[in-house]
Amino acid sequence: MDTFDAADKIAYYATELNNITSLMGINLANSDISKGNELERITFLTEYTHQIANELDALSKDIINDIRSIKHE
């Protein structure tokens, strides 16, 4: 696997994590869970998943930009 393939795969997983985060948010909005520890934990996990997805996406973009800058040198 070359570096571009790895960066693409990271971007793919970031997108999938964002999709999962969106579904979790929709389920939370439609949930009957009252305010409490369980809701707080699920909300935290949703936000954390979104954060990881954003970090993976940024990593993928950094890898691609680094490769492009190396090729132009």
Side-chain angles (χ1 to χ4, degrees), residues 24 28 35 38-48:
M24 290 169 68
L28 275 175
K35 288 284 185 194
E38 186 176 353
L39 181 59
E40 289 174 14
R41 286 186 200 113
I42 294 170
T43 301
F44 168 78
L45 289 173
T46 302
E47 292 169 359
Y48 185 59

Side-chain angles (χ1 to χ4, degrees):
M1 175 184 301
D2 72 3
T3 310
F4 274 120
D5 289 339
D8 285 342
K9 194 162 235 163
I10 291 170
Y12 170 80
Y13 288 129
T15 300
E16 288 300 304
L17 277 173
N18 269 325
N19 291 339
I20 291 167
T21 302
S22 294
L23 288 173
M24 290 169 68
I26 291 168
N27 285 328
L28 275 175
N30 295 326
S31 152
D32 286 339
I33 299 173
S34 63
K35 288 284 185 194
N37 288 340
E38 186 176 353
L39 181 59
E40 289 174 14
R41 286 186 200 113
I42 294 170
T43 301
F44 168 78
L45 289 173
T46 302
E47 292 169 359
Y48 185 59
T49 304
H50 183 67
Q51 176 187 345
I52 291 171
N54 287 339
E55 290 175 12
L56 283 171
D57 191 44
L59 174 63
S60 172
K61 289 175 183 171
D62 286 346
I63 291 169
I64 290 171
N65 289 336
D66 286 349
I67 292 169
R68 287 183 178 147
S69 69
I70 290 170
K71 286 186 176 187
H72 291 296
E73 291 179 354

